[in-house]
């Protein structure tokens, strides 16, 4: 496959990828990689494969192609290609949490000054190094790198880089527990996506929404957190991005845990008030808190869907179906149902809790 045909096939893959036909795009690019005789075309298609696997969360494959790309760059003896390939190697190791290697490759990039692409890539190098320092909890150096990357983004009017830096700053401020700033920066990233991101990958929107969800959850804005996390998960599922799906699931768990903490607090409050008013014989107040207690129990589904008794008031053996509804073991054994009595969904063999 010659230079012209290589270029055409790479563009075909890009069109497929931008229309969310990811697997077809990968197949086209892999054929190019196998058949092309053009070294520069080989380098470019490797870049496409690295980006695609990064956005899908396939970081080991990303690293594999980055290693092949740096060998190709050495064959071409082009300093621009070499710097770009070292950056991809750094980013691959960053994604795999090999932070010391990331910093080492980033320093190699920064030492290759004077190339025509160095000014374009220095911001990305600083960002990757900042993420690595953050992963190592070296916060001062991480912030220095993020601020340097942000300056590169502003000086070169690089909105895409600015968006990525804002997401990383959101993560930075979450870790040091400044949740107002942890929300501000991903909100800024979301604005950039809305204003400039028409042709960008949906990954940028997904990441900004995820970081917003984390900050909202920390601030106790649980409805906003849920909305942002659902949006991020939707895009992650669409792209097959398993790492982002995992992050969203953890965020969902934190949101639900926060909700449960609030509801359990109310449950304990009503239970305590019930005991107080019962001892004082104040029937009207007692009745109000009994009603509110049972409303909380029903809202949290802390009752057996068969016998109707509350769960958690006394020691009893429970079973959970795959739909996450709880029942008394004795009730399920008596009923003998193969589906959930609450949602009427068919279920597999329940597991003991």
């Amino acid at each position: 496959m010659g230079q012209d045909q290589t270029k055409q096939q790479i563009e075909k893959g890009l069109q497929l990828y931008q229309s969310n036909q990811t697997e077809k795009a990968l197949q086209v690019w892999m054929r190019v990689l196998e058949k092309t005789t053009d070294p520069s075309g080989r380098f470019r298609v490797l870049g496409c494969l690295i980006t695609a696997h990064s956005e899908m969360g396939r970081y080991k494959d990303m690293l594999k192609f980055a290693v092949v790309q740096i060998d190709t760059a050495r064959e071409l003896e082009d300093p621009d290609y070499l710097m770009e390939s070292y950056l991809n190697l750094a980013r691959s190791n960053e994604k795999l949490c090999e932070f010391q290697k990331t910093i080492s490759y980033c320093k190699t990039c920064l030492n290759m000054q004077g190339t025509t692409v160095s000014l374009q890539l220095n911001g990305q190098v600083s960002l990757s190094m900042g993420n690595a320092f953050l992963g190592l909890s070296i916060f001062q150096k991480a912030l220095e790198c993020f601020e340097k990357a942000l300056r590169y983004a502003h000086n070169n009017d690089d909105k895409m880089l600015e968006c990525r830096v804002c997401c990383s700053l959101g993560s930075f401020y979450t870790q040091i527990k400044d949740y107002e700033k942890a929300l501000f920066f991903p909100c800024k990233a979301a604005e950039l996506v809305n204003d400039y991101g028409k042709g960008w990958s949906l990954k940028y929107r997904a990441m900004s929404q995820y970081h917003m969800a984390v900050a909202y959850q920390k601030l106790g804005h649980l409805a906003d957190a849920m909305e942002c996390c659902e949006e991020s998960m939707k895009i992650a599922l669409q792209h097959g991005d398993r790492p982002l799906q995992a992050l969203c699931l953890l965020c969902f768990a934190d949101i639900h845990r926060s909700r449960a903490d609030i509801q359990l607090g109310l449950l304990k409050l009503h239970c305590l008030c019930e005991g107080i008013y019962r001892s004082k014989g104040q029937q009207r107040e007692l009745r109000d808190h009994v009603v509110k207690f049972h409303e909380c129990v029903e809202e949290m589904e802390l009752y057996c869907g068969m016998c109707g008794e509350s769960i958690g008031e006394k020691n009893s053996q429970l079973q959970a179906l795959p739909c996450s509804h709880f029942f008394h073991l004795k009730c399920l054994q008596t009923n003998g149902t193969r589906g959930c009595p609450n949602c009427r969904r068919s279920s597999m063999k329940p597991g003991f809790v």
Side-chain angles (χ1 to χ4, degrees):
M1 186 183 292
Q3 186 175 12
D4 291 340
Q5 193 175 359
T6 297
K7 185 177 179 181
Q8 290 173 3
Q9 289 299 304
I10 291 173
E11 292 300 325
K12 179 183 177 181
L14 285 170
Q15 290 173 5
L16 289 168
Y17 189 72
Q18 288 165 0
S19 62
N20 289 324
Q21 299 182 64
T22 306
E23 292 302 326
K24 288 184 179 179
L26 292 177
Q27 290 172 10
V28 170
W29 288 332
M30 287 302 297
R31 283 199 300 270
V32 174
L33 188 61
E34 291 169 5
K35 297 181 179 180
T36 186
T37 57
D38 175 32
S40 60
R42 179 181 175 82
F43 182 90
R44 188 182 173 203
V45 78
L46 283 164
C48 293
L49 287 165
I50 290 166
T51 300
H53 284 89
S54 172
E55 292 186 352
M56 290 186 293
R58 299 178 184 175
Y59 300 138
K60 288 184 178 180
D61 289 328
M62 179 188 179
L63 177 61
K64 179 182 71 176
F65 289 118
V67 170
V68 177
Q69 190 187 49
I70 203 165
D71 290 337
T72 304
R74 285 171 178 154
E75 290 173 13
L76 288 164
E77 297 181 345
D78 187 311
D80 290 343
Y81 284 155
L82 197 58
M83 181 174 182
E84 185 177 340
S85 60
Y86 268 114
L87 173 59
N88 284 329
L89 200 56
R91 290 173 56 227
S92 302
N93 280 281
E94 174 204 326
K95 297 296 185 182
L96 290 167
C97 300
E98 295 282 356
F99 298 127
Q100 293 291 359
K101 290 182 180 179
T102 302
I103 293 166
S104 177
Y105 288 128
C106 285
K107 287 180 178 178
T108 300
C109 289
L110 294 174
N111 289 332
M112 297 175 67
Q113 298 303 313
T115 65
T116 56
V117 298
S118 62
L119 289 176
Q120 299 171 23
L121 296 183
N122 274 347
Q124 296 182 43
V125 173
S126 296
L127 173 59
S128 190
M129 188 181 288
N131 289 334
F133 280 126
L134 183 59
L136 294 169
S137 298
I138 306 174
F139 296 113
Q140 184 176 350
K141 288 188 176 181
L143 186 58
E144 288 174 1
C145 290
F146 291 146
E147 289 177 343
K148 189 181 292 185
L150 204 55
R151 284 197 297 272
Y152 279 118
H154 290 158
N155 292 339
N156 294 284
D157 198 30
D158 189 339
K159 302 299 182 186
M160 196 177 291
L161 175 60
E162 184 179 354
C163 178
R164 290 170 57 198
V165 176
C166 285
C167 287
S168 291
L169 283 167
S171 181
F172 173 86
Y173 283 108
T174 297
Q175 289 197 36
I176 61 173
K177 295 182 169 56
D178 184 343
Y179 299 133
E180 295 292 340
K181 286 183 180 176
L183 178 60
F184 170 81
F185 283 103
C187 285
K188 176 63 177 176
E191 288 178 13
L192 290 167
V193 172
N194 290 334
D195 293 342
Y196 303 99
K198 187 176 181 180
W200 297 2
S201 166
L202 287 173
K203 178 71 176 283
Y204 289 92
R205 177 169 179 79
M207 288 307 300
S208 63
Q209 293 295 313
Y210 164 73
H211 287 291
M212 286 169 63
V214 171
Y216 275 131
Q217 185 270 324
K218 295 294 186 182
L219 290 166
H221 303 166
L222 302 183
D224 293 325
M226 182 63 75
E227 182 180 346
C228 291
C229 200
E230 286 175 347
E231 177 67 19
S232 184
M233 177 61 96
K234 179 182 175 182
I235 297 170
L237 289 169
Q238 183 179 341
H239 277 262
D241 187 340
R242 299 300 294 276
L244 182 54
Q245 290 171 33
L247 290 173
C248 288
L249 285 173
L250 286 172
C251 188
F252 280 134
D254 286 337
I255 294 166
H256 285 298
R257 184 177 61 192
S258 298
R259 284 179 168 175
D261 287 345
I262 294 168
Q263 289 175 317
L264 283 172
L266 289 171
L267 198 66
K268 291 176 182 177
L269 172 65
H270 294 313
C271 189
L272 181 63
C273 289
E274 179 186 340
I276 293 170
Y277 289 123
R278 190 183 300 279
S279 66
K280 290 186 174 183
Q282 295 177 252
Q283 296 301 317
R284 186 172 64 82
E285 290 83 357
L286 171 63
R287 186 166 53 251
D288 287 344
H289 283 284
V290 168
V291 169
K292 288 176 180 176
F293 175 85
H294 286 290
E295 285 176 352
C296 283
V297 167
E298 187 171 350
E299 185 177 353
M300 297 175 71
E301 298 185 1
L302 287 175
Y303 58 89
C304 177
M306 293 184 180
C307 67
E309 290 184 7
S310 298
I311 287 174
E313 288 188 359
K314 58 185 178 180
N315 185 26
S316 57
Q317 195 169 7
L318 307 175
Q319 273 193 332
L321 296 179
C323 57
S324 298
H325 285 126
F326 287 94
F327 301 91
H328 291 120
L329 172 62
K330 60 180 184 183
C331 294
L332 275 177
Q333 288 175 337
T334 303
N335 183 275
T337 182
R338 293 191 178 183
C340 175
N342 279 10
C343 58
R344 297 301 174 189
R345 275 200 323 236
S346 61
S347 61
M348 298 169 63
K349 183 178 179 180
F352 286 94
V353 176

